[in-house]
Amino acid sequence: SGHLREGEAAAAASSSSAAVGVGVEVEKEGKKENKVVVCARCHSLRHYGVVKRPEAEPLLPDFDFVAAVGPRLASPSGARSLVLLLADASDFDGSFPRAVARLVAAAGEAHGSDWKHGAPANLPRALLVVTKLDLLPTPSLSPDDVHAWAHSRARAGAGGDLRLAGVHLVSAARGWGVRDLLDHVRQLAGSRGNVWAVGARNVGKSTLLNAIARCSGIEGGPTLTEAPVPGTTLDVIQVDGVLGSQAKLFDTPGLLHGHQLTSRLTREEQKLVRVSKEMRPRTYRLKPGQSVHIGGLVRLDIEELTVGSVYVTVWASPLVPLHMGKTENAAAMVKDHFGLQLQPPIGQQRVNELGKWVRKQFKVSGNSWDVNSKDIAIAGLGWFGIGLKGEAVLGLWTYDGVDVVSRNSLV
Ligand code: GDP
């Protein structure tokens, strides 16, 4: 928040009778043309006189980092590019900017493996920045473990050989790790590098950049100017004074991840789902034929089990109610309780709007009840920690298109 583009979005949304569009310059087949991008809400207002699903639509179209910035990362002039890949600790897999990470990984792979003694100057480098660390139950976690875990999840997200120049665990809210990050960024950017901060919407990028600016001694917030990047005139913002010398720091618009549940929720529903305080576990001991619901958003079924029971720990916003019951009653739950007792969605008519309800199957094995064996993470919501001694077949139900992954457990 507190960034220019939010003000612009709000202005575009509020002045419905006057300006309803935002002019942007886009490059198409080598030719520049001016195009007016109209936000979905304004379009609705103008054409139908109503706002359908108020606030559920993004105000601005998604920012295509790969197309807009990709070609500039390998700068022939020798100015080093550094990409800050931001991921939210409370929704790592959902928020991780994997398309951009893939781009960085591919650039490295194209260069081969003969750069053990430092990356070639024109190869983009990347730092992984895990934000909102204060949301994790930090006293019970070892920073080294979280560090290694985040590194391996980033590699999985990039789907390739992602070489990171470092991993930083930060909390802008608490000021944890901000100084170290700033020092490292300055060192890697050198005297005239270009630094690009990239992350999903709401990952905490603005808050972090403001914290970095404060840390570098800038009073009253950093100076923001529109950056002269073709095709992104309105979108990319240069943050001045933070890096010193001639190095430049660019803030890019938050990426819209359709695979994050939050991206299809209304503002009111998002408030229930977003985690704002240190996460607390809610644990159930379940038998085959039993299920746990997280609001009307997700259901986990214990389908088969080689042992008596399994421990399922829910890590999600405390404002979302949980329900444990028999799997055979699950269909009735959708019909009678989704959108009512089980919120979000708020209101029964929103259930269909969220999409088709689909199942994904996971096989999990483990050898301890005390230590979780696997997480099943739902993008934009949270995760289930699974603890068992034996093997389980689990069914995970959610709306079609929401990413669900099984991963090594975090907690
Ligand atoms: P952006 O969309 O990536 O620029 O995200 P913002 O900086 O606007 O932050 C999104 C939300 O996350 C806001 O509600 C912030 O208050 C919150 N937030 C940002 N950083 C932190 C953090 O370090 N810890 C916690 N607990 N919340 C944070």
Side-chain angles (χ1 to χ4, degrees):
S1 316
H3 259 190
L4 205 62
R5 59 173 191 274
E6 281 224 344
E8 284 167 1
S14 62
S15 56
S16 52
S17 57
V20 290
V22 183
V24 292
E25 206 173 46
V26 292
E27 213 165 53
K28 205 174 171 187
E29 287 152 14
K31 275 182 286 177
K32 278 184 189 168
E33 52 182 56
N34 275 312
K35 199 175 164 183
V36 174
V37 179
V38 181
C39 84
R41 189 165 180 270
C42 297
H43 180 82
S44 255
L45 275 172
R46 206 156 46 146
H47 290 268
Y48 311 109
V50 289
V51 179
K52 291 194 291 180
R53 297 174 53 196
E55 323 236 45
E57 322 276 349
L59 284 171
L60 294 169
D62 195 16
F63 175 70
D64 190 346
F65 182 95
V66 173
V69 184
R72 323 185 134 240
L73 287 182
S75 153
S77 71
R80 168 87 75 181
S81 286
L82 173 66
V83 182
L84 308 180
L85 300 167
L86 272 61
D88 181 335
S90 67
D91 182 28
F92 191 98
D93 296 86
S95 65
F96 183 69
R98 54 198 184 193
V100 180
R102 254 181 237 136
L103 185 77
V104 174
E109 280 166 6
H111 247 274
S113 56
D114 55 340
W115 47 281
K116 287 201 183 66
H117 307 290
N122 63 348
L123 206 62
R125 296 212 268 184
L127 282 179
L128 173 63
V129 182
V130 184
T131 63
K132 309 189 192 175
L133 201 74
D134 58 293
L135 296 179
L136 298 182
T138 37
S140 55
L141 291 173
S142 119
D144 285 350
D145 289 351
V146 178
H147 199 280
W149 179 91
H151 198 159
S152 83
R153 291 317 302 159
R155 290 172 74 99
D161 189 10
L162 177 66
R163 300 180 198 214
L164 294 169
V167 178
H168 288 263
L169 310 177
V170 306
S171 163
R174 303 280 178 85
W176 299 345
V178 176
R179 163 58 61 189
D180 280 358
L181 174 62
L182 175 59
D183 289 347
H184 202 180
V185 168
R186 279 183 173 160
Q187 181 213 325
L188 291 170
S191 59
R192 56 193 199 97
N194 292 321
V195 182
W196 306 88
V198 186
R201 290 184 193 181
N202 229 54
V203 74
K205 190 154 52 62
S206 313
T207 310
L208 179 63
L209 292 178
N210 283 323
I212 285 178
R214 268 199 311 277
C215 193
S216 64
I218 298 175
E219 279 167 34
T223 319
L224 307 174
T225 49
E226 285 173 13
V229 178
T232 62
T233 26
L234 271 172
D235 294 342
V236 175
I237 290 167
Q238 189 171 330
V239 187
D240 292 320
V242 172
L243 298 181
S245 66
Q246 289 171 46
K248 296 191 186 87
L249 171 61
F250 297 106
D251 183 13
T252 61
L255 304 170
L256 178 65
H257 281 171
H259 58 265
Q260 278 180 302
L261 230 163
T262 26
S263 73
R264 55 181 87 180
L265 300 182
T266 64
R267 197 66 53 96
E268 287 308 304
E269 290 166 343
Q270 287 178 1
K271 277 188 198 155
L272 299 176
V273 163
R274 289 223 161 102
V275 181
S276 59
K277 283 212 238 18
E278 183 182 310
M279 299 178 95
R280 300 218 176 268
R282 288 178 279 178
T283 300
Y284 296 90
R285 185 176 160 182
L286 299 178
K287 296 185 183 320
Q290 292 185 316
S291 303
V292 183
H293 287 86
I294 306 182
L297 298 173
V298 168
R299 181 179 106 219
L300 182 74
D301 299 342
I302 313 303
E303 295 181 356
E304 293 169 39
L305 212 52
T306 57
V307 283
S309 55
V310 56
Y311 285 92
V312 172
T313 302
V314 178
W315 295 91
S317 159
L319 301 180
V320 181
L322 306 182
H323 173 85
M324 201 263 273
K326 289 186 183 161
T327 306
E328 63 189 43
N329 297 333
M333 295 296 297
V334 177
K335 206 166 129 285
D336 301 335
H337 298 295
F338 273 34
L340 300 173
Q341 288 92 335
L342 290 177
Q343 292 189 344
I346 300 176
Q348 282 183 302
Q349 80 286 353
R350 289 277 299 134
V351 179
N352 289 332
E353 286 176 11
L354 286 183
K356 212 172 125 210
W357 191 237
V358 294
R359 168 176 165 275
K360 205 169 165 185
Q361 197 181 64
F362 293 92
K363 295 192 168 101
V364 177
S365 60
N367 47 26
S368 165
W369 276 296
D370 303 329
V371 181
N372 284 332
S373 313
K374 285 281 179 203
D375 287 347
I376 295 177
I378 304 101
L381 179 66
W383 68 96
F384 291 103
I386 311 293
L388 83 167
K389 244 179 176 164
E391 286 167 33
V393 179
L394 308 171
L396 189 293
W397 291 80
T398 189
Y399 299 97
D400 199 13
V402 174
D403 252 24
V404 182
V405 294
S406 159
R407 64 186 192 193
N408 284 335
S409 63
L410 171 60
V411 183

